Each structure stands twice: as C-alpha cells, then as structure tokens.
Amino acid sequence: MQKNPPEGTDAKPAPARILVADDSVVVRAIVRHGLAQAGHKIDEAANGAEALRLLEAHSYDAVVTDLRMPEVDGFGVLSAIKERGLDTEVIILTASCKDDMRSAVRALRLGAHDYLTKPLASAEEMVMTVERAVEKKRLSEANKRLIRELAALSRTDTLTGLANRRAFEEALRGEVMRARRYRVPLSLLMLDLDHFKKVNDTYGHPGGDAVLRDFAAIIRGVFRDTDAAFRYGGEEFAVLLPHSTAEHAERAAERLLAEVRRARIQVGSTTLKVTCSIGIADLRAGDGDAQEMLRRADAALYRAKAAGRDRAKVFVPAEASQRAAAGVTGRVESARAGLRSPA
Ligand code: GH3
Ligand code: MG
Ligand code: MG
C-alpha cells in the first residue's frame, strides 16, 4: 500500500518530457513504464547517437541515460548536452560494480544530476529521482526568467514604459564608443516639456502623469525602432539617433514638435495641448565623449527654451565658450534655474 505523503508535498508535478537512452530494451521498457504511469511523456533511444539526434529535434526536461552504449556512450550524451548548453538534467543509469560506480561518480563531476543503479530497485524511487531532476530544471528556468524580468524592470520607467535613465546612460556610453570607433555620426535629442509645472499646478499630479504618458507615446510613434527613446527623469526625455547627423536629427525633432502640437491630451474632462523644447547635439568623427554630448544637448536645450520654447535648437560650438565665459556651468539644472518663471 502506498502511504499518503505529508501535507503540502503531494502536489503532482506537471507532466515532463523525458528521454530514455539505453541499449537494453528491457531497461528502457521498465523506465518508460514507471514514468508513463506517473503521467510523463517519454521518448526512447537505443544508443547515444540516436539520443543526440532526438536532443537536436526536441527539448527534454530530463535525460535518463545508460553509460555503456554503442556508438556514443553516456559520457558523449552528457558532454553534448553541456556543450550545447541545453537546459536538461541528466540521470545516469549504471551497474553497481566498482568500476561502473567510479564512472557514475565521474559523470556526476561532469554535471550529471544523479545516478540510478541497475537493476532498478523500485519504480517509485526511479520516478522520484527523475521528478527531482525535473523540478531542479524548472526551478532554474524560473530563476533565469525572474532575473531577466528584474533586469528589464530595473531599466524601465514604470510611468511611461520607456527605458529609464540608467538604461540611457548605458546606451549613450555604448553608442558614443561605437560612433568613435567606427567614425559614424551619432545624435542626441534632449526633450523637455514646456511649462510643465503649470500642468501639475492646474491639474494635479495625476494630470501631469497623464501628460507624461501621452508624451512618451508620441515620442515612440515618431522615432524609428532603432532609435532609442528614454525618460531621462521628471519631464525630460532623451532620444539617441545612431548613424544620424544633427541635420537628420533636426528633421526628426521637427516631426516630433509637429506631432506634439497636434496632440490633444485628455486629463479628466479637459483636453490639453502641450509643447516641448528640444536640444540637439551630434558627434562627428568622434569629437567628444558621452559627458560632452550631454553637455552639448543641454546647452542647445537651454537655447531652445530661451528662444521662446516649442522649438528645437542644434548645439553650436560657440555657445559653449560663451556660456563658459559668462560663468554658466553644469547641466541643464543651472539653465533651468534661470528659466524658471517667477512664482
Ligand atoms: P520649462 O518650460 O522651463 O521647462 O518649465 P517647466 O515648468 O516644465 O520646468 P521645471 O523643470 O521648472 O518643472 C518641471 C516640473 O515637472 C516640476 C515637477 O513638478 C514636474 N515633474 C517632475 N517629475 C514629474 C512626474 O513624474 N510626474 C509629474 N506629474 N510631474 C513631474
Ligand atoms: Mg524640466
Ligand atoms: Mg520643463
């Protein structure tokens, strides 16, 4: 009689797909029978070469393999699985004599999950060993998925769904390096919503958030897939245009400005119109680094604001020295402070 497992551990695992490789028909039949009874789906291979062919065509949660087989042996199967980086756990079938046990231990060292000795003591034990391997494989898959999701989350702005500042800084460094190495142009757009504080003051934070979301959607719509759009922070956005000169970036910026002017943003029962200002900087023949590019785009944005907003300005080298001479330093922060309308 089978005893009931303790509470909480009796959840049946989802059916697994398992490959059994052994040159003995009898052994294969025993393994297949036990696993099929437990609800799993089994494929069989009569030797290592056949197992490798099946591994090419299908993905298995676990492989139960004999060590001694003609053509390709169990070690061959194991090393192929590891070399190909397959997400499948390997269980070795081995005789219990001293030599074979030594081989089994070697297989464990090479990354096999476990071993079973022949003749199999009980079908239950065999099924349990295989199910433990399947569980391990599924947990490791779930872990990898989680890590990927967390990595994506840490680079995404939750309000707009755009990539965030962290992602921007990485992308900017990467693109600047590429532009310098291959001597290709690169453009950067810094966007800042005009008088956004008024939106917040008039419609509250939720109103401001609605504008930010819609604005992000407009940016996405205007730029090609290869252009990367980011929320830099607050109501500031950035767009990287690889392989683009400032002239090209300026045309893109004008398209965006037109779209923003045309847009009607719904905030509760009110329909809003907003505008933004854009600063454009480019690198040609690698004449600057990431910091320099940001500084240039900021300087240009400052000029767009000062010239009346709702426009794009391309960085002109002269203004950097002019600003330096006037004692203006730092990023847009200082520019913004100067632009803030008196309360
Ligand atoms: P300017 O045309 O000079 O850019 O004027 P502005 O009012 O847009 O400029 P400023 O930088 O002084 O103000 C930006 C405001 O953006 C301040 C803050 O209230 C608002 N803000 C920043 N982040 C968020 C956000 O995540 N949500 C909302 N709703 N508002 C934000
Ligand atoms: Mg701002
Ligand atoms: Mg603003």
Side-chain angles (χ1 to χ4, degrees), residues 104-127:
V105 169
R106 204 176 114 220
L108 291 181
R109 286 217 179 88
L110 292 171
H113 170 70
D114 207 347
Y115 67 88
L116 288 162
T117 49
K118 294 190 280 191
L120 293 167
S122 82
E124 243 184 358
E125 187 196 326
M126 182 272 292
V127 170

Side-chain angles (χ1 to χ4, degrees), residues 47-68:
N47 56 57
E50 207 182 318
L52 291 185
R53 276 195 295 279
L54 284 166
L55 279 162
E56 291 258 1
H58 312 284
S59 62
Y60 295 96
D61 295 304
V63 176
V64 181
T65 180
D66 189 13
L67 274 186
R68 293 183 198 218

Side-chain angles (χ1 to χ4, degrees), residues 298-320:
D298 271 342
L301 175 59
Y302 173 87
R303 238 167 24 102
K305 291 279 185 188
R309 299 179 172 79
D310 187 20
R311 70 198 63 211
K313 288 282 182 196
V314 177
F315 171 78
V316 283
E319 73 194 349

Side-chain angles (χ1 to χ4, degrees), residues 9-18 35 38-41 61 127-128 130-136 138:
T9 61
D10 56 350
K12 237 181 126 36
R17 187 157 192 194
I18 292 148
L35 289 171
H40 304 299
K41 197 175 175 308
D61 295 304
V127 170
M128 230 170 66
V130 172
E131 285 181 347
R132 262 205 305 266
V134 170
E135 197 190 346
K136 181 183 168 199
R138 287 179 177 165

Side-chain angles (χ1 to χ4, degrees), residues 159 192-198 200 205 208-209 212 231 234-235 305 309 336 339-340:
L159 178 66
D192 187 294
L193 281 161
D194 296 331
H195 302 303
F196 188 66
K197 225 187 245 142
K198 260 192 229 156
N200 270 334
H205 231 252
D209 286 356
L212 290 171
R231 184 175 179 203
E235 29 77 86
K305 291 279 185 188
R309 299 179 172 79
R336 253 194 242 115
L339 279 171
R340 239 168 235 152

